[in-house]
Amino acid sequence: MVVQSVVLKRTFELYKEEYEEAALRVLNSGWYILGREMAEFEEKFAAYMGVKHCVALNSGTDALILALRALEIQPGDEVIVPAGTYIASVIGVTENGGIPVFVDMDAYMEINVDAIEAKITEKTKAILPVHLFGQCSQMDRIKEVAKKYNLWLVEDCAQCHGSEFDGQLAGTFGDIGCFSFYPTKPLGAMGDAGAIITNDDALAGRVRLLRNYGSKIKYHNEIRGVNSRMDEIQAAMLKVGLKHIEEGIESRRRQAQMYMEGIKNPKIMIPPVHQNVYHVYHLFPILAKNREKFQEYLSQNGIVTQVHYPIPPYVADCYKDWGYAWSDFPNAQRYAKQELSLPIYAGLPDEEVKYVIEVINRY
């Protein structure tokens, strides 16, 4: 048996007729940018999240960049970020001239809330928690710290559509929530797409200006903006996906439960889930001390896996002038060296999950 890490065509085929109808509807409309589909998606996603505003953008990375730009993060301003994350989280800071201040990870593979306060200085302007793998960070305590020091709170929700902490949706705790709709996400487009959500009228209006060349009226450029507009095709695809997001989350959660109950090999560690979190399992990470050997074993048995993320941003080549060593953040280093993501996605057959479990338990 061959088990791929993800097969997007299977997810598409779950709702094939709806996706095809939506695509043809857009093509036949003759209107492809800043149209009704995008406006309707913004309205529907805002309603799903229970917020006043959704601003649809070109990507999740743009969402981070424009969110911090809307908050007027300036060169030299410090933004607290987790040490173990995808580099896009850090790009959101550096593209605005900001300085990322790294905090190590906790046992849940999230930012260590106990270590945040010690990193705050007079230059700190924002905290940027990243809800990794589908699990919301401990937002109650992070929000307390942000309020105590009068800091902006920006949530990177690229992997956690529908995740909750204490019954509240990830992305709704802070000033702005930033989402990616990359095709593999719990709510995925058929290409690049992203959005921000907020309850702040002024911030929403500023991001709308920023995404469209700083303009409300063509050729009237009020501020220095960029081109970061979600196209009508992606908006239409996301409207279909949003209708079925809970079905997809339940599918991922069922597969995750099968992994957690079935994997019995003591050489493999499954990171814990915080008791107050509703996990949506964008990914299913495990830890293996000799990852390369274990991954090769899985590959030999037809199981394709991925690593998230083998090079933390604090030691990325593009940021080597910062001078960090791998060992500066021990937990982030450990996860980068040991993490392996098992197959999990809407449309993954149960028999393939069972096969993965069987192979792991033989290792």
Side-chain angles (χ1 to χ4, degrees), residues 56-72:
L57 301 167
N58 184 59
S59 69
T61 304
D62 277 6
L64 290 161
I65 293 170
L66 297 188
L68 293 173
R69 194 160 298 170
L71 296 173
E72 299 184 336

Side-chain angles (χ1 to χ4, degrees), residues 13-48:
E13 287 175 344
L14 292 173
Y15 314 109
K16 180 178 178 179
E17 291 184 0
E18 293 180 65
Y19 282 121
E20 290 178 344
E21 185 279 327
L24 286 172
R25 183 177 67 243
V26 174
L27 293 173
N28 287 321
S29 75
W31 192 286
Y32 308 126
I33 298 288
L34 291 178
R36 185 173 66 183
E37 298 287 346
M38 188 193 73
E40 288 180 355
F41 171 71
E42 289 179 330
E43 180 181 347
K44 290 178 182 297
F45 192 64
Y48 171 76

Side-chain angles (χ1 to χ4, degrees), residues 47-246:
Y48 171 76
M49 295 300 302
V51 296
K52 291 174 66 176
H53 302 286
C54 166
V55 183
L57 301 167
N58 184 59
S59 69
T61 304
D62 277 6
L64 290 161
I65 293 170
L66 297 188
L68 293 173
R69 194 160 298 170
L71 296 173
E72 299 184 336
I73 297 300
Q74 303 290 324
D77 289 345
E78 294 178 352
V79 178
I80 291 175
V81 297
T85 183
Y86 186 52
I87 200 166
S89 308
V90 176
I91 287 172
V93 179
T94 59
E95 279 297 292
N96 288 290
I99 300 171
V101 175
F102 294 104
V103 171
D104 204 2
M105 316 305 287
D106 63 13
Y108 303 100
M109 302 182 78
E110 304 289 325
I111 190 170
N112 184 353
V113 296
D114 293 325
I116 291 176
E117 197 163 1
K119 295 295 185 81
I120 294 172
T121 73
E122 68 278 1
K123 295 181 180 180
T124 308
K125 295 296 187 292
I127 304 175
L128 177 62
V130 184
H131 309 304
L132 285 166
F133 307 114
Q135 178 172 209
C136 186
S137 301
Q138 296 179 52
M139 291 308 299
D140 55 346
R141 296 178 59 196
I142 294 174
K143 189 171 181 177
E144 283 179 10
V145 174
K147 184 177 181 180
K148 178 179 178 180
Y149 291 93
N150 195 29
L151 303 175
W152 295 111
L153 181 53
V154 180
E155 297 175 68
D156 184 338
C157 309
Q159 303 185 6
C160 69
H161 318 65
S163 181
E164 299 175 359
F165 185 87
D166 274 345
Q168 183 174 340
L169 283 166
T172 65
F173 290 87
D175 299 284
I176 300 182
C178 302
F179 287 83
S180 166
F181 302 119
Y182 187 77
T184 58
K185 300 300 170 65
L187 177 58
M190 301 300 179
D192 279 320
I196 66 99
I197 61 169
T198 183
N199 284 311
D200 188 307
D201 297 344
L203 287 177
R206 187 166 177 83
V207 176
R208 287 194 177 96
L209 278 176
L210 286 168
R211 76 172 173 190
N212 192 37
Y213 302 104
S215 168
K216 291 193 191 96
I217 303 170
K218 195 171 184 178
Y219 303 126
H220 293 259
N221 306 94
E222 302 174 32
I223 61 175
R224 296 178 184 179
V226 297
N227 176 10
S228 181
R229 305 170 301 206
M230 180 187 291
D231 66 67
E232 291 288 276
I233 287 282
Q234 300 308 334
M237 298 298 101
L238 287 166
K239 283 166 58 182
V240 175
L242 188 56
K243 284 172 57 179
H244 301 288
I245 187 172
E246 297 303 329

